[in-house]
mmCIF file of all heavy atoms in Angstrom:
data_model
loop_
_atom_site.group_PDB
_atom_site.id
_atom_site.type_symbol
_atom_site.label_atom_id
_atom_site.label_comp_id
_atom_site.label_asym_id
_atom_site.label_seq_id
_atom_site.Cartn_x
_atom_site.Cartn_y
_atom_site.Cartn_z
ATOM 1 N N ASP R 13 99.828 85.444 135.933
ATOM 2 C CA ASP R 13 101.147 86.056 136.141
ATOM 3 C C ASP R 13 101.772 86.580 134.847
ATOM 4 O O ASP R 13 102.870 87.119 134.856
ATOM 5 C CB ASP R 13 102.102 85.100 136.853
ATOM 6 C CG ASP R 13 102.481 83.879 136.031
ATOM 7 O OD1 ASP R 13 102.037 83.761 134.869
ATOM 8 O OD2 ASP R 13 103.233 83.033 136.556
ATOM 9 N N GLY R 14 101.076 86.435 133.732
ATOM 10 C CA GLY R 14 101.553 86.986 132.462
ATOM 11 C C GLY R 14 102.615 86.176 131.765
ATOM 12 O O GLY R 14 103.196 86.628 130.782
ATOM 13 N N SER R 15 102.884 84.959 132.237
ATOM 14 C CA SER R 15 103.931 84.153 131.607
ATOM 15 C C SER R 15 103.465 83.496 130.313
ATOM 16 O O SER R 15 104.287 83.117 129.494
ATOM 17 C CB SER R 15 104.437 83.084 132.588
ATOM 18 O OG SER R 15 103.392 82.202 132.927
ATOM 19 N N GLU R 16 102.158 83.347 130.126
ATOM 20 C CA GLU R 16 101.607 82.798 128.880
ATOM 21 C C GLU R 16 100.610 83.789 128.311
ATOM 22 O O GLU R 16 99.657 84.175 128.975
ATOM 23 C CB GLU R 16 100.918 81.458 129.135
ATOM 24 C CG GLU R 16 101.860 80.360 129.552
ATOM 25 C CD GLU R 16 101.148 79.030 129.732
ATOM 26 O OE1 GLU R 16 100.002 78.895 129.282
ATOM 27 O OE2 GLU R 16 101.744 78.146 130.339
ATOM 28 N N LYS R 17 100.833 84.202 127.069
ATOM 29 C CA LYS R 17 99.954 85.153 126.403
ATOM 30 C C LYS R 17 99.531 84.559 125.075
ATOM 31 O O LYS R 17 100.342 83.973 124.374
ATOM 32 C CB LYS R 17 100.677 86.473 126.173
ATOM 33 C CG LYS R 17 101.157 87.116 127.446
ATOM 34 C CD LYS R 17 102.041 88.297 127.157
ATOM 35 C CE LYS R 17 102.652 88.776 128.459
ATOM 36 N NZ LYS R 17 103.761 89.679 128.256
ATOM 37 N N LEU R 18 98.253 84.733 124.723
ATOM 38 C CA LEU R 18 97.759 84.273 123.431
ATOM 39 C C LEU R 18 97.835 85.412 122.430
ATOM 40 O O LEU R 18 97.780 86.588 122.793
ATOM 41 C CB LEU R 18 96.316 83.787 123.554
ATOM 42 C CG LEU R 18 96.069 82.600 124.469
ATOM 43 C CD1 LEU R 18 94.586 82.246 124.463
ATOM 44 C CD2 LEU R 18 96.900 81.402 124.065
ATOM 45 N N GLU R 19 97.962 85.052 121.165
ATOM 46 C CA GLU R 19 97.924 86.041 120.097
ATOM 47 C C GLU R 19 96.579 86.766 120.150
ATOM 48 O O GLU R 19 95.564 86.162 120.485
ATOM 49 C CB GLU R 19 98.062 85.365 118.733
ATOM 50 C CG GLU R 19 99.432 84.800 118.463
ATOM 51 C CD GLU R 19 100.467 85.874 118.211
ATOM 52 O OE1 GLU R 19 100.124 86.938 117.671
ATOM 53 O OE2 GLU R 19 101.622 85.631 118.574
ATOM 54 N N PRO R 20 96.523 88.053 119.818
ATOM 55 C CA PRO R 20 95.240 88.768 119.793
ATOM 56 C C PRO R 20 94.302 88.182 118.734
ATOM 57 O O PRO R 20 94.746 87.680 117.705
ATOM 58 C CB PRO R 20 95.615 90.193 119.416
ATOM 59 C CG PRO R 20 97.082 90.303 119.635
ATOM 60 C CD PRO R 20 97.641 88.927 119.512
ATOM 61 N N ILE R 21 93.003 88.235 119.005
ATOM 62 C CA ILE R 21 92.000 87.826 118.023
ATOM 63 C C ILE R 21 91.218 89.079 117.619
ATOM 64 O O ILE R 21 90.898 89.913 118.460
ATOM 65 C CB ILE R 21 91.056 86.743 118.567
ATOM 66 C CG1 ILE R 21 90.047 86.314 117.500
ATOM 67 C CG2 ILE R 21 90.363 87.173 119.833
ATOM 68 C CD1 ILE R 21 89.171 85.146 117.878
ATOM 69 N N PHE R 22 90.958 89.203 116.336
ATOM 70 C CA PHE R 22 90.173 90.306 115.804
ATOM 71 C C PHE R 22 88.879 89.721 115.257
ATOM 72 O O PHE R 22 88.902 88.771 114.477
ATOM 73 C CB PHE R 22 90.943 91.032 114.699
ATOM 74 C CG PHE R 22 92.206 91.679 115.195
ATOM 75 C CD1 PHE R 22 93.402 90.984 115.227
ATOM 76 C CD2 PHE R 22 92.178 92.984 115.645
ATOM 77 C CE1 PHE R 22 94.563 91.576 115.698
ATOM 78 C CE2 PHE R 22 93.333 93.589 116.118
ATOM 79 C CZ PHE R 22 94.527 92.879 116.142
ATOM 80 N N ILE R 23 87.751 90.300 115.666
ATOM 81 C CA ILE R 23 86.442 89.814 115.231
ATOM 82 C C ILE R 23 85.729 90.964 114.545
ATOM 83 O O ILE R 23 85.567 92.039 115.120
ATOM 84 C CB ILE R 23 85.610 89.315 116.424
ATOM 85 C CG1 ILE R 23 86.393 88.267 117.207
ATOM 86 C CG2 ILE R 23 84.277 88.756 115.946
ATOM 87 C CD1 ILE R 23 85.788 87.929 118.544
ATOM 88 N N GLY R 24 85.322 90.722 113.315
ATOM 89 C CA GLY R 24 84.622 91.746 112.549
ATOM 90 C C GLY R 24 83.365 91.190 111.922
ATOM 91 O O GLY R 24 83.045 90.010 112.067
ATOM 92 N N LYS R 25 82.649 92.032 111.188
ATOM 93 C CA LYS R 25 81.411 91.607 110.532
ATOM 94 C C LYS R 25 81.666 90.981 109.164
ATOM 95 O O LYS R 25 80.981 90.060 108.763
ATOM 96 C CB LYS R 25 80.471 92.797 110.364
ATOM 97 C CG LYS R 25 79.868 93.280 111.651
ATOM 98 C CD LYS R 25 78.867 94.387 111.376
ATOM 99 C CE LYS R 25 78.231 94.856 112.664
ATOM 100 N NZ LYS R 25 77.188 95.845 112.406
ATOM 101 N N ALA R 26 82.641 91.472 108.440
ATOM 102 C CA ALA R 26 82.891 91.030 107.066
ATOM 103 C C ALA R 26 83.700 89.737 107.041
ATOM 104 O O ALA R 26 84.651 89.572 107.798
ATOM 105 C CB ALA R 26 83.638 92.102 106.295
ATOM 106 N N SER R 27 83.308 88.814 106.155
ATOM 107 C CA SER R 27 84.073 87.575 106.027
ATOM 108 C C SER R 27 85.392 87.801 105.306
ATOM 109 O O SER R 27 86.380 87.126 105.584
ATOM 110 C CB SER R 27 83.255 86.510 105.312
ATOM 111 O OG SER R 27 82.903 86.942 104.024
ATOM 112 N N LYS R 28 85.417 88.766 104.382
ATOM 113 C CA LYS R 28 86.648 89.150 103.692
ATOM 114 C C LYS R 28 86.745 90.677 103.699
ATOM 115 O O LYS R 28 86.315 91.336 102.765
ATOM 116 C CB LYS R 28 86.650 88.638 102.252
ATOM 117 C CG LYS R 28 86.784 87.151 102.154
ATOM 118 C CD LYS R 28 87.016 86.745 100.720
ATOM 119 C CE LYS R 28 87.316 85.261 100.673
ATOM 120 N NZ LYS R 28 87.729 84.839 99.361
ATOM 121 N N PRO R 29 87.317 91.255 104.758
ATOM 122 C CA PRO R 29 87.393 92.718 104.845
ATOM 123 C C PRO R 29 88.212 93.311 103.706
ATOM 124 O O PRO R 29 89.229 92.753 103.301
ATOM 125 C CB PRO R 29 88.098 92.964 106.180
ATOM 126 C CG PRO R 29 87.971 91.695 106.940
ATOM 127 C CD PRO R 29 87.873 90.607 105.931
ATOM 128 N N TRP R 30 87.773 94.452 103.189
ATOM 129 C CA TRP R 30 88.456 95.081 102.062
ATOM 130 C C TRP R 30 89.855 95.539 102.437
ATOM 131 O O TRP R 30 90.715 95.661 101.580
ATOM 132 C CB TRP R 30 87.635 96.246 101.525
ATOM 133 C CG TRP R 30 87.449 97.346 102.519
ATOM 134 C CD1 TRP R 30 86.419 97.474 103.408
ATOM 135 C CD2 TRP R 30 88.320 98.448 102.756
ATOM 136 N NE1 TRP R 30 86.595 98.589 104.188
ATOM 137 C CE2 TRP R 30 87.768 99.216 103.796
ATOM 138 C CE3 TRP R 30 89.516 98.864 102.192
ATOM 139 C CZ2 TRP R 30 88.368 100.354 104.292
ATOM 140 C CZ3 TRP R 30 90.111 100.015 102.686
ATOM 141 C CH2 TRP R 30 89.537 100.743 103.720
ATOM 142 N N CYS R 31 90.102 95.791 103.723
ATOM 143 C CA CYS R 31 91.418 96.304 104.126
ATOM 144 C C CYS R 31 92.530 95.271 103.941
ATOM 145 O O CYS R 31 93.699 95.625 103.873
ATOM 146 C CB CYS R 31 91.378 96.785 105.572
ATOM 147 S SG CYS R 31 90.969 95.519 106.767
ATOM 148 N N PHE R 32 92.172 93.981 103.834
ATOM 149 C CA PHE R 32 93.178 92.945 103.608
ATOM 150 C C PHE R 32 93.478 92.765 102.123
ATOM 151 O O PHE R 32 94.344 91.986 101.761
ATOM 152 C CB PHE R 32 92.730 91.609 104.202
ATOM 153 C CG PHE R 32 92.578 91.643 105.696
ATOM 154 C CD1 PHE R 32 91.456 91.118 106.295
ATOM 155 C CD2 PHE R 32 93.559 92.194 106.508
ATOM 156 C CE1 PHE R 32 91.310 91.133 107.668
ATOM 157 C CE2 PHE R 32 93.420 92.213 107.881
ATOM 158 C CZ PHE R 32 92.290 91.686 108.459
ATOM 159 N N LYS R 33 92.733 93.474 101.281
ATOM 160 C CA LYS R 33 92.864 93.412 99.830
ATOM 161 C C LYS R 33 92.746 91.978 99.335
ATOM 162 O O LYS R 33 91.770 91.321 99.634
ATOM 163 C CB LYS R 33 94.143 94.095 99.387
ATOM 164 C CG LYS R 33 94.163 95.542 99.871
ATOM 165 C CD LYS R 33 95.100 96.378 99.146
ATOM 166 C CE LYS R 33 94.965 97.768 99.770
ATOM 167 N NZ LYS R 33 95.655 98.765 99.177
ATOM 168 N N LYS R 34 93.718 91.453 98.631
ATOM 169 C CA LYS R 34 93.591 90.100 98.070
ATOM 170 C C LYS R 34 94.219 89.034 98.943
ATOM 171 O O LYS R 34 94.255 87.879 98.580
ATOM 172 C CB LYS R 34 94.195 90.065 96.672
ATOM 173 C CG LYS R 34 93.436 90.926 95.698
ATOM 174 C CD LYS R 34 93.982 90.817 94.305
ATOM 175 C CE LYS R 34 93.175 91.706 93.376
ATOM 176 N NZ LYS R 34 93.617 91.616 92.008
ATOM 177 N N GLN R 35 94.721 89.405 100.115
ATOM 178 C CA GLN R 35 95.334 88.441 101.022
ATOM 179 C C GLN R 35 94.330 88.012 102.078
ATOM 180 O O GLN R 35 93.376 88.727 102.375
ATOM 181 C CB GLN R 35 96.540 89.059 101.717
ATOM 182 C CG GLN R 35 97.666 89.417 100.788
ATOM 183 C CD GLN R 35 98.838 90.007 101.535
ATOM 184 O OE1 GLN R 35 98.688 90.557 102.608
ATOM 185 N NE2 GLN R 35 100.016 89.891 100.955
ATOM 186 N N SER R 36 94.572 86.850 102.654
ATOM 187 C CA SER R 36 93.750 86.421 103.779
ATOM 188 C C SER R 36 94.286 87.094 105.045
ATOM 189 O O SER R 36 95.447 87.507 105.085
ATOM 190 C CB SER R 36 93.806 84.905 103.925
ATOM 191 O OG SER R 36 95.073 84.502 104.394
ATOM 192 N N PRO R 37 93.461 87.216 106.078
ATOM 193 C CA PRO R 37 93.950 87.808 107.330
ATOM 194 C C PRO R 37 95.153 87.054 107.907
ATOM 195 O O PRO R 37 96.057 87.664 108.463
ATOM 196 C CB PRO R 37 92.748 87.713 108.259
ATOM 197 C CG PRO R 37 91.570 87.683 107.345
ATOM 198 C CD PRO R 37 92.035 86.945 106.125
ATOM 199 N N GLU R 38 95.176 85.742 107.750
ATOM 200 C CA GLU R 38 96.296 84.948 108.252
ATOM 201 C C GLU R 38 97.593 85.297 107.522
ATOM 202 O O GLU R 38 98.663 85.306 108.111
ATOM 203 C CB GLU R 38 96.004 83.455 108.132
ATOM 204 C CG GLU R 38 94.954 82.953 109.122
ATOM 205 C CD GLU R 38 93.530 83.282 108.709
ATOM 206 O OE1 GLU R 38 93.287 83.574 107.510
ATOM 207 O OE2 GLU R 38 92.655 83.269 109.577
ATOM 208 N N GLN R 39 97.515 85.580 106.229
ATOM 209 C CA GLN R 39 98.694 85.984 105.467
ATOM 210 C C GLN R 39 99.207 87.343 105.932
ATOM 211 O O GLN R 39 100.395 87.627 105.829
ATOM 212 C CB GLN R 39 98.379 86.033 103.973
ATOM 213 C CG GLN R 39 98.159 84.683 103.351
ATOM 214 C CD GLN R 39 97.667 84.799 101.911
ATOM 215 O OE1 GLN R 39 96.923 85.716 101.569
ATOM 216 N NE2 GLN R 39 98.079 83.853 101.080
ATOM 217 N N CYS R 40 98.318 88.182 106.446
ATOM 218 C CA CYS R 40 98.707 89.489 106.962
ATOM 219 C C CYS R 40 99.200 89.410 108.405
ATOM 220 O O CYS R 40 99.649 90.407 108.950
ATOM 221 C CB CYS R 40 97.520 90.446 106.893
ATOM 222 S SG CYS R 40 96.994 90.833 105.223
ATOM 223 N N GLY R 41 99.085 88.256 109.026
ATOM 224 C CA GLY R 41 99.564 88.094 110.392
ATOM 225 C C GLY R 41 98.516 88.303 111.462
ATOM 226 O O GLY R 41 98.847 88.552 112.615
#
């Protein structure tokens, strides 16, 4: 019914993607 939604998960190949620069993905939200 859409009353409970989970945060989106992103799955990629790189353990530290360059697009996050020096931050962790969690720090970027």
Side-chain angles (χ1 to χ4, degrees):
D13 67 2
S15 62
E16 293 183 14
K17 301 171 188 166
L18 298 180
E19 290 288 328
I21 182 173
F22 296 88
I23 305 168
K25 289 185 179 185
S27 60
K28 290 190 173 188
W30 63 269
C31 61
F32 296 133
K33 303 199 180 186
K34 295 184 180 182
Q35 296 181 335
S36 71
E38 288 78 19
Q39 290 172 325
C40 294

